[in-house]
Amino acid sequence: MVCIMTTLPRTTGKKLGLVIDLDTCVGCHACVIACKGWNTENYGAPLSDQDAYGAEPTGTFLNRVHSYEVTPAEGPAQLVHFPKSCLHCEDAPCVTVCPTGASYKRTEDGIVLVNESDCIGCGLCAWACPYGARELDAAAGVMKKCTLCVDRIYNTNLPEEDREPACVRTCPAGARHFGDLSDPDSAVSRLVADRDGADLMPEMGTKPVNKYLPPRPKDTLEAETDILAPFLAPIAEEPRGFFSWLDKTLEKI
Amino acid sequence: MHPAPSVILFTSLSGLGFGLLIWLGLGLPAVSGWVAFAFFAIAYALAVGGLLASTFHLGHPERALKAFTQWRSSWLSREGLCAVIALCLMALYGAGLVFAGERWTVLGWIGAAFSLGTVFTTSMIYSQLKTVPRWNMPITPVLFLSFALGGGALLAGQVAIAKTLLIVTGVVQIAYWLAGDKALAGSGSSMTTATGLTHGTVRAFEPPHTGTNYLLNEFAYVVGRRHSLKLRVIGLVLLSVLPVILLLLPFSHILALVAVVSHIAGVLIVRWLFFAEAEHVVGLYYGVR
């Protein structure tokens, strides 16, 4: 059992994870709040805040939404909202560095979890994670990370439609998708195939399970966007008559 | 990376302590009785003091014993085991020298090997991290081992060996800086690979929250980096150049003491830089290094 805890499973039964659509995300942070709420009120140590109403508030979050400006070689810049949480990597470096075996990857579904009663709070797993998915809770002194809402997805006390991660359930834009990425016919796998879903920092060799769907190319505006446009074009290029006189007079002043 | 005082003290002092134990285990100097007691007391004060300092940054130090269980995969766990084995073996070897007047040579060699192993496993905790390109280099273990061997030889009073090894330490340190300065650019990680946004130039527009967070405090340390060149020169002079000059002068205990103090001050400065200059790739998500 110790051996299973300390090392990564060779294969997992399922690869449960998220597919995040960067084209659809509107950056509302509802997933951030839903995550903080569920994971503070349910499994494990609550996600604490420090100086919450003071000058320098900080706190533990398992999901954070960044915003990036992407400027193409030609055309206008684009704003991309970018939610980021644990990617439940197949080759998770956070698991193998753990000295106590508190960090582990589940054999049955590939979820990466922390056994909080074994965590000594050394922080090395957070150092090993390229994505900033792990945060040491300042109040509890243990490492917190996304559990993929393991206490929701198998929870038969919840109505069936609620048995998905809180961030997915709450997303008003439908930008977050949950499913089994080991099954090529699952809805999430088809999304990844259709939309060229990508890995974050593939050069790190972590083989993330979560995938990101890139923003679709921006529509290009044709010369005529409206059939009425020709009729609405300005008729007089140069002012004539009274306006011509006024223009010249004003120039002279 | 945030230069936590507990980790700087731990790696610096324990490195020196286990470095001294390596030389004592090899019988250099071949001390016995109360002289041996003094040498072993200094080595244990440094090694154990450093290990205790390292527990100060833990969230739950009372569970530290659990860290000995995962030696199959974790360098941190291997380090803990190596340190405890080295300290037990060398305590037995030292007791033989001090109280029984016996030199159990083979036991000393095995203890020296585990002391060397402790320094190596410490260095691998940092060197294994792909997320910190400046540490993820084969020269990182060489750096830690040369510091332990050079500083240990100085503490052990092995003047001839110490002179050579302290020069080697200085050269390895310079090589580490030269390689490290190119490490992040050479790692292949950028905001483009971090975000997967390949259709244009990526700029961090807005961070997730207006305030700071654990990740920024831990990984995006920027204060003081602008003084890094000055600190590099001061650190190098104190840890290598000055002690070597003092060792070249006719031997006196005062000069030797100054050399030791200078070396320790230099080690602390460059170890601070080891952390403060190291860039974690998670900074790319925030547009900071």
Side-chain angles (χ1 to χ4, degrees):
Chain A
M1 192 60 204
V2 171
C3 187
I4 294 166
M5 297 280 274
T6 187
T7 51
L8 289 160
R10 243 165 255 246
T11 53
T12 56
K14 287 180 176 180
K15 291 182 197 169
L16 295 186
L18 302 176
V19 170
I20 293 169
D21 191 343
L22 298 178
D23 194 62
T24 314
C25 177
V26 296
C28 70
H29 290 238
C31 54
V32 178
I33 303 307
C35 169
K36 179 106 173 174
W38 179 266
N39 288 293
T40 291
E41 293 151 12
N42 294 281
Y43 163 79
L47 305 177
S48 71
D49 290 319
Q50 280 70 42
D51 196 22
Y53 303 100
E56 288 176 18
T58 60
T60 310
F61 287 83
L62 310 183
N63 177 31
R64 293 180 185 265
V65 180
H66 294 252
S67 296
Y68 297 103
E69 180 195 71
V70 187
T71 314
E74 282 177 24
Q78 190 180 359
L79 193 60
V80 178
H81 301 293
F82 192 95
K84 185 160 59 61
S85 54
C86 174
L87 308 175
H88 298 280
C89 302
E90 284 181 57
D91 198 349
C94 55
V95 170
T96 49
V97 299
C98 177
T100 69
S103 252
Y104 63 105
K105 186 170 174 70
R106 282 157 54 110
T107 314
E108 60 269 40
D109 52 20
I111 300 178
V112 177
L113 288 177
V114 175
N115 178 352
E116 290 178 6
S117 59
D118 277 353
C119 176
I120 57 172
C122 70
L124 190 57
C125 55
W127 290 20
C129 173
Y131 309 110
R134 288 172 168 250
E135 302 190 13
L136 190 74
D137 188 85
V142 294
M143 195 55 70
K144 299 297 296 183
K145 69 175 294 302
C146 160
T147 66
L148 213 59
C149 283
V150 69
D151 49 350
R152 286 176 67 97
I153 58 177
Y154 298 114
N155 191 340
T156 48
N157 293 322
L158 295 176
E160 197 162 346
E161 63 270 26
D162 284 337
R163 290 179 210 161
E164 57 182 14
C167 57
V168 176
R169 186 75 181 98
T170 204
C171 179
R176 305 178 69 99
H177 306 269
F178 166 68
D180 179 9
L181 286 131
S182 71
D183 172 9
D185 293 325
S186 68
V188 281
S189 295
R190 286 202 305 272
L191 259 178
V192 172
D194 293 348
R195 298 273 309 279
D196 291 328
D199 288 346
L200 304 186
M201 287 200 214
E203 72 279 4
M204 286 283 155
T206 52
K207 291 190 266 176
V209 170
N210 285 13
K211 305 286 178 204
Y212 282 75
L213 307 180
R216 294 182 175 92
K218 280 269 185 184
D219 291 340
T220 46
L221 294 170
E222 298 297 326
E224 284 182 17
T225 52
D226 191 326
I227 50 164
L228 293 174
F231 303 102
L232 295 171
I235 301 164
E237 298 288 322
E238 288 292 314
R240 282 180 289 184
F242 171 72
F243 286 108
S244 172
W245 171 81
L246 185 65
D247 191 42
K248 280 174 192 158
T249 312
L250 286 172
E251 286 283 332
K252 283 177 193 163
I253 296 171
Chain B
M1 301 293 289
H2 172 67
S6 62
V7 180
I8 292 170
L9 281 176
F10 156 59
T11 57
S12 306
L13 300 184
S14 286
L16 284 167
F18 283 106
L20 177 53
L21 285 178
I22 293 168
W23 294 108
L24 291 174
L26 296 175
L28 298 166
V31 282
S32 62
W34 289 108
V35 181
F37 182 83
F39 270 107
F40 275 85
I42 292 168
Y44 273 78
L46 290 169
V48 178
L51 286 172
L52 286 178
S54 76
T55 62
F56 292 157
H57 81 284
L58 298 181
H60 283 277
E62 77 280 6
R63 300 174 186 161
L65 284 179
K66 292 185 177 183
F68 294 116
T69 59
Q70 307 299 310
W71 49 271
R72 289 181 192 83
S73 63
S74 167
W75 282 106
L76 181 51
S77 190
R78 287 170 196 161
E79 182 213 32
L81 275 180
C82 248
V84 169
I85 294 170
L87 290 173
C88 289
L89 292 177
M90 290 304 288
L92 202 60
Y93 175 71
L97 290 175
V98 175
F99 302 112
E102 293 281 339
R103 176 174 302 281
W104 297 312
T105 313
V106 178
L107 181 65
W109 289 348
I110 300 171
F114 272 98
S115 300
L116 194 71
T118 305
V119 178
F120 175 70
T121 48
T122 304
S123 71
M124 284 308 293
I125 294 170
Y126 304 103
S127 188
Q128 69 175 332
L129 296 172
K130 279 187 190 168
T131 49
V132 186
R134 196 184 278 274
W135 293 347
N136 188 225
M137 301 188 294
I139 198 174
T140 305
V142 180
L143 182 76
F144 275 65
L145 289 171
S146 66
F147 269 80
L149 289 171
L154 180 64
L155 289 175
Q158 303 301 301
V159 176
I161 303 172
K163 270 188 286 202
T164 315
L165 284 181
L166 287 179
I167 293 169
V168 171
T169 305
V171 172
V172 172
Q173 178 65 77
I174 292 169
Y176 171 82
W177 282 329
L178 291 177
D181 288 346
K182 294 181 227 148
L184 182 64
S187 70
S189 292
S190 62
M191 282 183 80
T192 304
T193 69
T195 59
L197 297 170
T198 52
H199 61 288
T201 321
V202 184
R203 186 173 75 91
F205 184 76
E206 209 175 24
H209 295 92
T210 50
T212 184
N213 61 39
Y214 169 77
L215 301 171
L216 287 170
N217 292 336
E218 190 77 1
F219 302 126
Y221 188 80
V222 283
V223 182
R225 270 193 202 150
R226 61 205 159 97
H227 295 306
S228 74
L229 186 62
K230 277 181 212 163
L231 286 172
R232 283 180 180 187
V233 173
I234 295 168
L236 196 64
V237 167
L238 287 177
L239 83 90
S240 175
V241 179
L242 190 59
V244 169
I245 293 171
L246 292 171
L247 292 180
L248 285 169
L249 297 172
F251 180 81
S252 86
H253 281 286
I254 302 285
L255 289 185
L257 184 68
V258 176
V260 168
V261 171
S262 164
H263 178 74
I264 293 175
V267 169
L268 289 173
I269 291 172
V270 297
R271 197 51 54 82
W272 184 87
L273 282 170
F274 179 80
F275 289 94
E277 288 192 300
E279 308 94 339
H280 194 288
V281 293
V282 82
L284 294 169
Y285 285 103
Y286 290 85
V288 296
R289 285 180 60 193

